[in-house]
Amino acid sequence: MKIYKEGDKSKAICPDCGMVETTFITRDVPIKGSSAIAKNILAGVCSICEKVVSVPQQSAPYVKEALHKEKKPLEVRIPQHLNDILANASIKIGGEYTSSLVNFLIKYYIHSHHNDPKAINKLLKVYENSALMDNVKSTNRLSVKIDEKILNELKDIRIYSNFKNETEVVKAIVLKINDDIVQEKDKKAMLFFQSVALAVA
Ligand SMILES: [Zn+2]
């Protein structure tokens, strides 16, 4: 990848002016096909009309990040004690309760289950057999920032299992997090999560 500096020149096709010389300048760039804006990124500006006409490869991570931020959070209604499990799992692995640790745990469990029919089956059993789900009302909500890839994996888990909907899958994942982390039944998982928690929090 060629790295450009601000002020460097290149060439690109401007929709209004044709083949033009461009100058790389930091600009706020609206992303095509979305309402997201990548702020302060290096972009190729047409030397005639001064519109942004190209985005160098080195700016692509910010475009991706801007699209990611645009994603709506996954919202599910859950009973309060499942939120309590997540808050305490966060403390167990990171020493503090942060929403980024909770996000990380949910996403990690979705990702690690989605291609594993055996694990999904176990997850369903945990959900069906848990006394924590007896006579409960989902009076609270959980909001997880999730990108499209993980959201599709969550849908896959639901499709390839007997879960009724995605909310049930999320609840089952929280119950599994309770077993593994809060009740410390999976020491290996604990060590792994503790080792990555610093980087996530
Ligand atoms: Zn132009």
Side-chain angles (χ1 to χ4, degrees):
M1 184 199 318
K2 181 167 161 77
I3 298 285
Y4 293 99
K5 308 188 299 289
E6 197 162 16
D8 281 355
K9 307 279 184 190
S10 184
K11 281 200 161 81
I13 293 168
C14 171
D16 297 327
C17 317
M19 178 62 84
V20 291
E21 186 185 62
T22 55
T23 308
F24 288 107
I25 299 172
T26 52
R27 283 278 178 92
D28 293 346
V29 179
I31 300 160
K32 271 183 206 147
S34 97
S35 60
I37 295 171
K39 292 203 166 154
N40 277 319
I41 65 167
L42 208 61
V45 171
C46 171
S47 59
I48 298 169
C49 70
E50 299 193 331
K51 280 187 196 141
V52 171
V53 293
S54 68
V55 173
Q57 203 188 345
Q58 74 202 60
S59 298
Y62 310 112
V63 173
K64 224 179 145 190
E65 170 68 7
L67 283 171
H68 181 77
K69 274 194 202 139
E70 197 201 20
K71 296 272 144 60
K72 281 189 184 143
L74 168 76
E75 301 255 0
V76 289
R77 298 202 65 82
I78 62 171
Q80 177 55 26
H81 62 284
L82 296 196
N83 271 329
D84 300 343
I85 286 169
L86 292 170
N88 283 282
S90 173
I91 301 240
K92 285 261 182 188
I93 65 167
E96 58 181 343
Y97 165 49
T98 69
S99 56
S100 49
L101 274 175
V102 169
N103 272 343
F104 163 72
L105 279 173
I106 303 269
K107 286 192 284 190
Y108 180 87
Y109 272 80
I110 292 171
H111 183 65
S112 64
H113 277 80
H114 91 285
N115 256 340
D116 189 341
K118 252 183 166 170
I120 294 173
N121 215 16
K122 269 193 205 159
L123 199 61
L124 186 64
K125 289 224 163 70
V126 168
Y127 181 73
E128 287 172 342
N129 298 329
S130 178
L132 290 173
M133 294 312 296
D134 285 348
N135 299 314
V136 293
K137 282 194 181 125
S138 295
T139 53
N140 217 315
R141 67 185 186 92
L142 167 69
S143 171
V144 187
K145 282 215 177 98
I146 201 167
D147 59 35
E148 205 155 338
K149 184 171 156 263
I150 302 280
L151 192 62
N152 285 333
E153 290 179 354
L154 175 63
K155 286 178 181 159
D156 279 349
I157 294 177
R158 205 262 306 151
I159 291 165
Y160 299 111
S161 70
N162 289 323
F163 283 107
K164 285 195 207 89
N165 50 51
E166 277 109 47
T167 300
E168 278 195 347
V169 179
V170 173
K171 286 177 184 170
I173 281 172
V174 178
L175 295 169
K176 184 81 168 75
I177 289 172
N178 181 44
D179 282 351
D180 292 353
I181 299 171
V182 180
Q183 310 305 327
E184 299 186 27
K185 284 183 191 164
D186 189 340
K187 301 277 182 210
K188 251 170 89 180
M190 283 287 287
L191 285 172
F192 167 72
F193 288 126
Q194 281 166 349
S195 71
V196 295
L198 258 179
V200 174

